[in-house]
């Protein structure tokens, strides 16, 4: 079965160019269990869509290969370019 095409062009650009890794409670976990996620499923981890848009804007306009965001010491999000 083929993958469904995204209706959100920003999510499609993020998914094409970046790998998103999420680590919940980075200070409490002794074993680093990161989860790979998509741009659309990142909303499950973030309660605020404005924050998601802010992160995407920073990643798309930046020139680095890797971006790391710590959100309220409970969530670590890594954007690694492909």
């Amino acid at each position: 079965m083929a993958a469904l095409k995204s209706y959100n062009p920003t999510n499609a650009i993020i998914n094409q160019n970046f790998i998103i890794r999420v680590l919940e409670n980075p200070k409490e976990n002794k074993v680093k269990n990161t989860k790979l996620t998509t741009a659309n499923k990142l909303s499950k981890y973030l309660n605020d869509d404005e924050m998601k848009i802010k992160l995407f804007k920073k990643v798309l306009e930046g020139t680095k290969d890797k971006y790391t965001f710590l959100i309220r010491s409970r969530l670590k999000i890594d954007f690694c370019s492909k």
Side-chain angles (χ1 to χ4, degrees):
M1 180 180 223
L4 296 175
K5 189 172 182 177
S6 175
Y7 293 109
N8 189 338
T10 305
N11 287 350
I13 292 170
I14 292 288
N15 289 335
Q16 285 176 352
N17 297 317
F18 294 95
I19 296 172
I20 304 172
R21 289 190 177 106
V22 176
L23 175 64
E24 295 182 84
N25 299 324
K27 294 183 179 180
E28 295 177 8
N29 288 342
K30 295 178 182 174
V31 178
K32 299 209 174 195
N33 292 329
T34 60
K35 297 178 183 177
L36 295 178
T37 187
T38 63
N40 191 29
K41 290 182 184 177
L42 192 61
S43 297
K44 181 176 97 173
Y45 297 103
L46 299 174
N47 295 332
D48 190 12
D49 281 339
E50 291 178 13
M51 184 176 292
K52 183 175 101 169
I53 293 169
K54 185 178 173 182
L55 295 179
F56 287 173
K57 185 176 180 182
K58 188 169 188 172
V59 169
L60 288 175
E61 292 177 355
T63 58
K64 295 181 184 177
D65 290 335
K66 183 177 179 182
Y67 285 90
T68 301
F69 300 102
L70 287 172
I71 300 174
R72 297 185 194 104
S73 299
R74 66 168 183 87
L75 191 64
K76 180 180 176 183
I77 302 172
D78 290 328
F79 289 87
C80 302
S81 66
K82 289 184 179 179

